[in-house]
Amino acid sequence: DSGVTQTPKHLITATGQRVTLRCSPRSGDLSVYWYQQSLDQGLQFLIHYYNGEERAKGNILERFSAQQFPDLHSELNLSSLELGDSALYFCASSVAPAAGELFFGEGSRLTVL
Amino acid sequence: AQTVTQSQPEMSVQEAETVTLSCTYDTSESNYYLFWYKQPPSRQMILVIRQEAYKQQNATENRFSVNFQKAAKSFSLKISDSQLGDTAMYFCAFMKRGGSGAGSYQLTFGKGTKLSVIP
């Protein structure tokens, strides 16, 4: 158990819908990262938050947004969903941006029908 | 930007044998970390081993060891005495290292190598 909690574990929805994925980092970790894992693209970095502030954006679509709340949990919002958004979405946390290790949650499997 | 390349999409090994997974990377950074992560069918990403680029000694964790060649930008993983539980996807990953912590330090992953351990 990494200490990072992601909900829901599985989610099935239809095209055009909006979903929210939630991540609770390890106790004491201030950094939260979101990754998307799909069969054709592999593991892609989406976005990084540190102590409530956005630090970096990767290959995140404009239809996607995220935030980190004062209690340090983070949410990834995916809207106007398309079939190609079906993927495994991972959250990872670290105590600080340069800590040198990320701890991953079990992921949220999103299926768009 | 960094790139990580794993040239072996799939590999197999007999139980109790040794296997080596390859990884090369490209970066202009001089200070960084390299990682091997394991993703079993349960899909959890599990850290196998970490190497700090400034350290010349290759990292070792029980049956897992790396061969880190900084000049060649090569970072291979050797699994000794392979076990059925080693069956998984293995990802090589890169993270830059910074002293002040400013900026972002996300992992850049390779495409992965699917390892099957055969009884």
Side-chain angles (χ1 to χ4, degrees), chain B residues 3 6 21 24-25 35-36 73 94 105:
Chain B
T3 60
Q6 294 179 248
L21 280 57
T24 58
Y25 60 96
F35 305 83
W36 280 96
K73 295 182 179 174
F94 173 101
Y105 296 83

Side-chain angles (χ1 to χ4, degrees), chain A residues 19-34:
Chain A
V19 298
T20 297
L21 309 180
R22 180 188 171 102
C23 170
S24 294
R26 291 188 323 155
S27 177
D29 283 359
L30 301 179
S31 265
V32 171
Y33 300 79
W34 286 97

